Amino acid sequence: MAGILAWFWNERFWLPHNVTWADLKNTDEATFPQAEDLYLAFPLAFCIFMVRLIFERFVAKPCAIALNIQANGPQIAQPNAILEKVFTAITKHPDEKRLEGLSKQLDWDVRSIQRWFRQRCNQEKPSTLRKFCESMWRFSFSLYVFTYGVRFLKKTPWLWNTRHCWYNYPYQPLTTDLHYYYILELSFYWSLMFSQFTDIKRKDFGIMFLHHLVAIFLISFSYVNNMARVGTLVLCLHDSADALLEAAKMANYAKFQKICDLLFVMFAMVFITTRLGIFPLWVLNTTLFESWEIVGPYPSWWVFNLLLLLIQGLNCFWSYLIVKIACKAISKGKVSKDDRSDIESSSDEEDSEPPGKSPHTATTTNGTSGTNGYLLTGSCSVDD
């Protein structure tokens, strides 16, 4: 084990040439990031999760009820052992041949069986109330952490001149505000990693899981080798659009369509501007070129930039989805669909469909940045 740890913490990988871990030990004059600080994220992530449960129950839910968002779910399908077995073990969307066979076996007409399968699918969908509460929590936290990040960064020299991220690197002292900001962001992403398995499951679950994983690794990695200054720029930039996304979702769930459309347009503009414009031209420029000039490359420098490029790849993917939604909105006159997340259609609407037609569905999205990194949920949606 000692050999493995010595290999993992090899100074030639983590630190620039002629720098050792002993040089970055805390002293009375200066405090530097220490790897063991990252353990603080786990109890804090648990606290964030508990705060979320309290917030959703005692703050978000009353707000949803005040906006007339109903807590009741879709109509429950009539219990039927044969259809339930087909639904759980064979298919949730039987073809015409299977429908005719079930019709003869149960002495039901085909339309009734189709309605049963639609109702049974809807039973597994989350209620609008639950989705509103989830979005309100994400909105509140995103707004808080972004506001904190802006207030912190506007007092730092590296916000105005990114070359300060590399001057005297890695001997840059860790301030209390920077430490709090970093550990808070890391804790939030850890809480998302665990809650993602209990939250509303959407179609981009795998991509969001990758996003959270990369974000956690990137935050931890940049903290250990003291790239925290440029890390704060990355975090704040990727938090900038999240609150607008969640606000658009809440407006959609509350059926404030015009407000939803406006917030979605604002979100799309901020997202694309920050992720495809400012991030590559400002952040990637300093991590790839300014750092090369001032510090020079070393092994962990390559890994750090590779992770940032992976994040940029995810940004491009989500921007593509946003533009796709915007094109649909222009053609239809409002933001109504996207390609991410769960199907949202009421059983009453579906029951009114003629036989043989598939029910109208509205897909939604929920990252990440967040992505990082949360995409879109509700009629209007997109997240990092």
Side-chain angles (χ1 to χ4, degrees):
M1 181 59 68
I4 293 174
L5 290 175
W7 169 82
F8 182 81
W9 294 111
N10 191 321
E11 294 162 340
R12 288 182 296 177
F13 170 81
W14 287 97
L15 302 174
H17 186 60
N18 290 332
V19 179
T20 67
W21 292 119
D23 298 330
L24 298 178
K25 289 293 184 182
N26 293 334
T27 64
D28 295 336
E29 291 77 25
T31 300
F32 299 103
Q34 304 297 314
E36 53 267 24
D37 296 344
L38 299 177
Y39 290 123
L40 296 172
F42 294 104
L44 187 55
F46 177 76
C47 292
I48 289 175
F49 183 73
M50 297 307 295
V51 170
R52 171 185 174 171
L53 296 180
I54 296 171
F55 178 89
E56 289 186 355
R57 180 169 182 178
F58 296 104
V59 179
K61 186 175 180 179
C63 290
I65 293 174
L67 292 170
N68 296 319
I69 296 176
Q70 299 298 318
N72 57 305
Q75 183 178 348
I76 304 299
Q78 175 185 346
N80 186 290
I82 295 175
L83 295 180
E84 184 69 25
K85 184 176 180 180
V86 173
F87 182 87
T88 55
I90 302 176
T91 178
K92 296 181 180 181
H93 306 285
D95 55 23
E96 185 175 347
K97 184 177 180 180
R98 190 177 298 277
L99 286 172
E100 291 176 356
L102 290 171
S103 175
K104 295 177 181 178
Q105 184 178 359
L106 296 172
D107 196 24
W108 286 18
D109 60 81
V110 171
R111 178 176 171 78
S112 296
I113 297 175
Q114 289 175 322
R115 182 184 297 113
W116 188 94
F117 275 93
R118 288 198 298 269
Q119 292 174 348
R120 182 64 181 83
C121 285
N122 285 336
Q123 283 180 220
E124 300 186 344
K125 297 171 189 174
S127 66
T128 304
L129 177 66
R130 182 185 170 192
K131 289 185 286 188
F132 180 91
C133 292
E134 181 180 304
S135 291
M136 188 170 181
W137 159 252
R138 290 176 182 263
F139 166 80
S140 302
F141 189 90
S142 298
L143 184 62
Y144 166 74
V145 77
F146 175 67
T147 303
Y148 180 88
V150 171
R151 292 181 60 187
F152 163 67
L153 283 171
K154 71 180 183 180
K155 298 181 290 185
T156 63
W158 61 86
L159 175 65
W160 315 106
N161 182 359
T162 53
R163 297 178 72 87
H164 281 277
C165 292
W166 312 107
Y167 291 150
N168 198 37
Y169 175 83
Y171 306 107
Q172 298 168 341
L174 178 69
T175 65
T176 302
D177 288 343
L178 193 155
H179 178 259
Y180 171 77
Y181 186 35
Y182 239 69
I183 297 300
L184 181 65
E185 289 274 14
L186 179 61
S187 302
F188 181 63
Y189 277 105
W190 272 119
S191 72
L192 289 179
M193 276 288 288
F194 298 127
S195 66
Q196 190 174 8
F197 294 95
T198 58
D199 286 345
I200 299 167
K201 192 169 184 180
R202 297 182 170 88
K203 291 182 179 179
D204 66 342
F205 175 87
I207 293 176
M208 290 309 298
F209 184 83
L210 174 63
H211 174 273
H212 298 334
L213 197 63
V214 171
I216 288 171
F217 190 77
L218 186 57
I219 294 172
S220 303
F221 190 91
S222 59
Y223 186 85
V224 169
N225 66 1
N226 205 13
M227 289 185 178
R229 288 188 176 184
V230 73
T232 58
L233 300 180
V234 176
L235 290 171
C236 191
L237 194 65
H238 281 74
D239 288 337
S240 59
D242 290 350
L244 288 171
L245 168 64
E246 301 303 335
K249 295 179 191 178
M250 290 191 294
N252 177 67
Y253 300 144
K255 301 188 186 306
F256 299 147
Q257 189 61 50
K258 290 184 178 180
I259 297 177
C260 171
D261 294 345
L262 175 62
L263 289 170
F264 180 81
V265 170
M266 294 172 61
F267 161 75
M269 293 174 62
V270 172
F271 188 97
I272 293 174
T273 301
T274 55
R275 308 296 177 92
L276 299 188
I278 298 176
F279 182 69
L281 296 178
W282 187 45
V283 175
L284 291 181
N285 176 67
T286 191
T287 60
L288 288 170
F289 303 110
E290 291 179 349
S291 64
W292 183 295
E293 176 187 344
I294 297 171
V295 180
Y298 53 98
S300 69
W301 178 92
W302 292 100
V303 175
F304 180 71
N305 280 284
L306 182 63
L307 291 171
L308 289 179
L309 291 173
L310 179 57
I311 291 288
Q312 182 61 10
L314 293 173
N315 290 339
C316 292
F317 169 74
W318 283 317
S319 296
Y320 160 75
L321 291 183
I322 295 172
V323 171
K324 190 176 179 180
I325 303 237
C327 292
K328 289 182 180 179
I330 292 172
S331 64
K332 296 184 179 181
K334 67 176 183 178
V335 179
S336 61
K337 286 188 179 183
D338 73 33
D339 294 317
R340 182 190 164 194
S341 89
D342 55 328
I343 305 298
E344 295 182 36
S345 57
S346 71
S347 56
D348 292 336
E349 290 173 340
E350 291 175 340
D351 289 346
S352 64
E353 292 289 336
K357 274 195 175 184
S358 61
H360 171 76
T361 58
T363 55
T364 64
T365 51
N366 173 21
T368 201
S369 160
T371 185
N372 92 14
Y374 322 115
L375 195 61
L376 302 134
T377 43
S379 302
C380 8
S381 354
V382 179
D383 125 283
D384 154 356

